[in-house]
């Protein structure tokens, strides 16, 4: 990061701030519906995805502390949107145990991202981090699988 923010980064930062503010507003709205919690989670996920973009566009990805920062949440959008839609269309909607399986892919990808981050955290050199992440933990192959899975979910659900 060179200390300057271009227009794209400023727009992304504004989007993150708006996403977090909207999450807080929806969460604090006086309503006891579960859909409100799902909408808050969806908004927060979108804000974190913007942070993920910002890590790459602003150059923070080149700093060892931010390299492989665990934000493997691309596959969270589809189940959150689906369950939020269910909460709008079903009377007295509540999250059932069998619906938790919708979050299994996101949980698996996030666990892998956390493992990569923890294992590479002690390495001060980016090249060593990259070598460990790719050769031992298959980081790029898992990220490609995550991207394809998210794309498949998006095309399958129509969102």
């Amino acid at each position: 990061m060179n200390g300057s923010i271009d227009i794209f980064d400023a727009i992304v930062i504004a989007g993150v701030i708006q996403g977090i503010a909207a999450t807080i507003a929806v969460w604090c709205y006086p309503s006891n519906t579960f859909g409100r919690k799902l909408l808050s989670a969806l908004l927060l996920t979108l804000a974190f995805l913007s942070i993920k973009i910002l890590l790459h566009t602003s150059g923070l990805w080149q700093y060892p502390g931010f390299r492989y920062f665990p934000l493997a949440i691309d596959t969270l959008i589809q189940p959150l949107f689906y369950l939020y839609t269910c909460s709008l269309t079903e009377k007295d909607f509540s999250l059932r145990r069998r619906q938790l399986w919708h979050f299994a892919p996101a949980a698996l990808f996030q666990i892998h991202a956390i493992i990569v981050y923890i294992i590479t955290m002690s390495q001060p050199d980016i090249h060593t981090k990259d070598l460990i992440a790719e050769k031992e933990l298959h980081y790029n192959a898992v990220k490609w699988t995550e991207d394809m899975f998210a794309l498949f979910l998006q095309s399958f659900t129509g969102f």
Side-chain angles (χ1 to χ4, degrees):
M1 188 169 187
N2 56 11
S4 65
I5 296 176
D6 63 10
I7 189 71
F8 180 79
D9 291 342
I11 291 170
V12 173
I13 291 169
V16 169
I17 292 169
Q18 285 181 332
I20 292 171
T23 298
I24 293 168
V26 170
W27 185 265
C28 294
Y29 186 78
S31 172
N32 290 331
T33 64
F34 190 72
R36 178 180 50 86
K37 293 177 183 176
L38 288 169
L39 180 59
S40 293
L42 182 60
L43 291 169
L44 190 61
T45 300
L46 292 172
F48 279 138
L49 283 173
S50 295
I51 291 171
K52 185 176 180 178
I53 292 169
L54 197 60
L55 284 175
H56 291 281
T57 61
S58 67
L60 288 172
W61 183 255
Q62 298 306 318
Y63 289 94
F66 290 108
R67 191 71 160 204
Y68 301 111
F69 193 78
L71 285 173
I73 55 175
D74 300 32
T75 55
L76 263 182
I77 296 170
Q78 296 84 354
L80 286 171
F81 192 81
Y82 168 72
L83 293 171
Y84 176 64
T85 304
C86 289
S87 76
L88 294 176
T89 58
E90 293 179 23
K91 186 176 179 160
D92 299 325
F93 174 82
S94 64
L95 191 62
R96 293 181 274 298
R97 175 175 266 175
R98 63 185 166 98
Q99 292 171 320
L100 293 176
W101 285 105
H102 292 291
F103 298 107
L108 290 174
F109 290 124
Q110 184 63 31
I111 289 168
H112 179 262
I114 290 169
I115 290 169
V116 170
Y117 186 72
I118 289 171
I119 290 175
T120 62
M121 188 185 324
S122 63
Q123 301 298 321
D125 179 53
I126 288 179
H127 298 296
T128 306
K129 285 179 180 278
D130 291 346
L131 187 65
I132 292 170
E134 185 54 36
K135 297 293 182 190
E136 295 178 21
L137 303 169
H138 311 286
Y139 180 79
N140 288 323
V142 173
K143 292 308 285 180
W144 183 86
T145 304
E146 179 186 3
D147 291 343
M148 291 301 111
F149 198 80
L151 186 62
F152 171 76
L153 283 177
Q154 183 176 3
S155 62
F156 180 71
T157 58
F159 300 120

